[in-house]
Amino acid sequence: MNPAPPATLVDKYRTRAPRYTSYPTAPQFSAIAGDTVDAALASGDGPLSLYVHIPFCKSLCLYCGCHVEIQGKRGIGAVYVDVLLAELDLFCARMKPGRTLAQLALGGGTPTFLLPADMARLIAGIRARLPFAADGDFSIEIDPRTVDVDYLNTLVDIGFNRYSFGVQDFDEAVLEAVKRRQTESVVRTALETLRKRGNFQINLDLMYGLPHQAVESFGRSLDIVTDLRPSRIALFQYAHVPWMKPAQKVLEKSGIPASPLKSTLFALTVEKLGAAGYHAIGMDHFALAGDELVSSQASGTLQRNFMGYTTGAGLDQIGIGVSSIGYFRGVYAQNLKKREDWQARIDQGELPVERGLALSPEDLRRRRLIMSLFCNFAVRWPVEEDYTAELERLRPFEADGLCVVRPDRTGVDVTPLGQHFIRNLCSIFDQYFEADVASRRYSVTA
Ligand code: SF4
């Protein structure tokens, strides 16, 4: 990847565009018949991927774009676990028996908001319904402020083998501005604790584009990160969407960095992580040699879903918990977002799906193109598929050196410079994009 694109190109291509963690994107979801969801679930077989959403957080980080519920009472997690397991029963009753779990991901919110005993009960309950595959990925997102040595040991004991820590930055002024007070030592202790127990895959999440971030201080944070040596690093650009997340408005008072600084911070990250031995993966991930993301990218089997870039091609994905999204057999299904509504539906013995989409053959074709571009920075299509209009709209991108259309017009390769503009390039193949962007539903690309 080119470290930094010229400012003229950044300005030229700045727009609002999806991050394509799904295609079609969530704004296209609408009411979906229960029979459609049931039929898709019943038709699947083989190992599964399960996402579990724990929405609770103790306090709100001002940059947050997740579906969260600020909660003071940790005991509420016990009831939430009961309902999650009841929801999983509803899914299992609709699927063929004998399915196993190849991937489990707990995200949020803050999964470690749950008390350790509730966490252990949740995992035992999932295991009893869906046996864990011997070589599976069992991952959890951790807010380092919520775990002590005992809690981390519990997570290891109950079978997690992948740990992802939200860090964002180590600079005090930045953390103060976004209301996420967390020290370097708390992160360092957590990693040391896990490393005493085994050779686990550890990811750190960073964020750029936050108030008070500057080249020198962000460079220092990156030095701490490379010293901690996680096997993966995800670097997300802050998505300012105050019309959806009103708390973000407060950050405008502290000053949100403009595009040239954001580009410089991104370039600095590429340079520093590259020098420390990390491979750039897709749009915003980095991994050490030996990590599965590196081999997946090399073999063209990298995937993208609501968790970002992953391995695990072709698995049916089930989502439980408020607001979770699943994708199985060409059907997206998203749960109700309000906890009371979600629970009431499950209490009635019904899946708490609120919206979704059964993909048309055209959606499936375009989904394949967009995911290939996002994961492999290249796409090929059969000669009988016609994308004349799209190729026409790619001409300015090609003229600016961002992509190369194959001479036989059956594919596109993204250049290293063009990788910075991958959201723009993918939007060319998104048949809903023009209507969507007019309603300002997405964050800016740069
Ligand atoms: S801990 Fe994570 S999910 Fe919770 S408010 Fe902060 S950023 Fe959002």
Side-chain angles (χ1 to χ4, degrees):
M1 183 181 283
N2 260 22
T8 46
L9 285 182
V10 173
D11 288 341
K12 178 174 176 182
Y13 288 102
R14 184 179 303 121
T15 182
R16 296 186 184 279
R19 294 174 189 229
Y20 292 109
T21 51
S22 72
Y23 183 81
T25 53
Q28 302 309 321
F29 298 176
S30 58
I32 185 164
D35 289 354
T36 305
V37 175
D38 288 355
L41 286 169
S43 67
D45 47 24
L48 277 174
S49 170
L50 175 68
Y51 172 72
V52 184
H53 190 78
I54 314 286
F56 309 113
C57 292
K58 257 193 196 162
S59 60
L60 184 69
C61 311
L62 294 178
Y63 58 82
C64 183
C66 301
H67 183 79
V68 299
E69 175 181 331
I70 303 305
Q71 253 300 340
K73 298 181 191 138
R74 281 182 94 184
I76 201 166
V79 178
Y80 192 76
V81 166
D82 291 340
V83 185
L84 281 174
L85 294 175
E87 184 184 1
L88 191 54
D89 281 335
L90 295 172
F91 270 109
C92 289
R94 287 162 171 77
M95 296 189 294
K96 289 180 189 147
R99 300 195 71 169
T100 56
L101 213 53
Q103 282 186 344
L104 169 68
L106 263 65
T110 306
T112 45
F113 178 94
L114 296 183
L115 290 163
D118 291 329
M119 178 65 76
R121 198 162 57 81
L122 171 63
I123 300 308
I126 294 172
R127 243 185 227 279
R129 290 159 176 81
L130 294 168
F132 286 13
D135 55 351
D137 298 349
F138 307 111
S139 68
I140 182 165
E141 287 175 4
I142 296 179
D143 177 343
R145 302 170 298 174
T146 61
V147 286
D148 57 14
V149 170
D150 288 345
Y151 200 154
L152 290 166
N153 280 319
T154 299
L155 295 177
V156 174
D157 292 340
I158 61 181
F160 286 103
N161 54 20
R162 282 147 203 263
Y163 299 87
S164 179
F165 291 87
V167 169
Q168 322 315 340
D169 200 326
F170 283 109
D171 185 77
E172 276 181 31
V174 176
L175 294 173
E176 185 60 38
V178 300
K179 298 276 180 286
R180 187 185 172 98
R181 294 173 195 95
Q182 139 186 314
T183 60
E184 177 190 335
S185 74
V186 89
V187 179
R188 201 171 275 283
T189 304
L191 267 57
E192 282 166 5
T193 304
L194 289 174
R195 284 173 173 151
K196 278 186 199 146
R197 293 294 308 274
N199 185 22
F200 302 117
Q201 186 218 82
I202 293 175
N203 172 79
L204 299 187
D205 281 349
L206 305 179
M207 188 171 278
Y208 71 107
L210 296 173
H212 301 302
Q213 282 182 328
V215 173
E216 202 182 317
S217 58
F218 198 64
R220 277 197 300 273
S221 292
L222 289 169
D223 290 340
I224 297 171
V225 169
T226 53
D227 184 53
L228 290 168
R229 207 77 188 150
S231 46
R232 286 184 193 176
I233 297 162
L235 173 73
F236 299 113
Q237 185 186 159
Y238 166 58
H240 191 57
V241 286
W243 56 94
M244 289 199 292
K245 300 284 171 187
Q248 293 184 343
K249 267 217 119 12
V250 180
L251 297 182
E252 291 171 9
K253 289 189 201 132
S254 315
I256 297 168
S259 290
L261 177 56
K262 284 196 286 185
S263 296
T264 308
L265 294 176
F266 184 83
L268 180 72
T269 310
V270 172
E271 184 192 317
K272 276 194 175 274
L273 297 187
Y278 287 88
H279 296 250
I281 306 288
M283 180 177 76
D284 48 18
H285 282 49
F286 301 85
L288 288 173
D291 188 286
E292 280 172 14
L293 280 185
V294 177
S295 45
S296 288
Q297 177 161 270
S299 62
T301 57
L302 198 62
Q303 300 288 300
R304 187 160 174 83
N305 64 21
F306 295 99
M307 305 290 290
Y309 287 104
T310 71
T311 56
L315 296 176
D316 285 340
Q317 297 157 23
I318 306 295
I320 61 171
V322 288
S323 79
S324 287
I325 302 179
Y327 179 70
F328 33 85
R329 309 286 147 166
V331 170
Y332 282 111
Q334 178 167 31
N335 276 354
L336 288 154
K337 291 185 179 148
K338 227 174 131 203
R339 183 162 54 84
E340 293 77 11
D341 298 344
W342 166 80
Q343 179 169 346
R345 190 78 77 79
I346 294 166
D347 288 347
Q348 289 161 12
E350 290 172 29
L351 282 182
V353 171
E354 181 182 33
R355 310 181 310 146
L357 187 70
L359 274 65
S360 67
E362 183 68 19
D363 289 333
L364 288 166
R365 270 194 294 277
R366 287 175 185 267
R367 182 177 192 275
R368 186 188 74 75
L369 298 188
I370 287 173
M371 293 303 159
S372 178
L373 276 173
F374 235 99
C375 295
N376 309 319
F377 295 127
V379 64
R380 303 280 178 267
W381 53 78
V383 276
E384 55 274 17
E385 289 184 23
D386 179 16
Y387 296 103
T388 306
E390 285 78 5
L391 294 181
E392 204 48 43
R393 289 166 57 210
L394 278 179
R395 275 179 189 269
F397 290 83
E398 206 173 16
D400 284 328
L402 306 185
C403 68
V404 178
V405 175
R406 281 173 70 91
D408 62 2
R409 299 172 73 77
T410 59
V412 176
D413 292 303
V414 181
T415 65
L417 180 61
Q419 293 177 15
H420 293 283
F421 302 92
I422 191 68
R423 290 163 71 184
N424 308 63
L425 287 161
C426 286
S427 71
I428 297 287
F429 292 93
D430 176 350
Q431 61 182 340
Y432 306 101
F433 179 68
E434 294 296 332
D436 258 8
V437 77
S439 59
R440 279 186 12 129
R441 278 171 169 151
Y442 302 113
S443 60
V444 288
T445 52

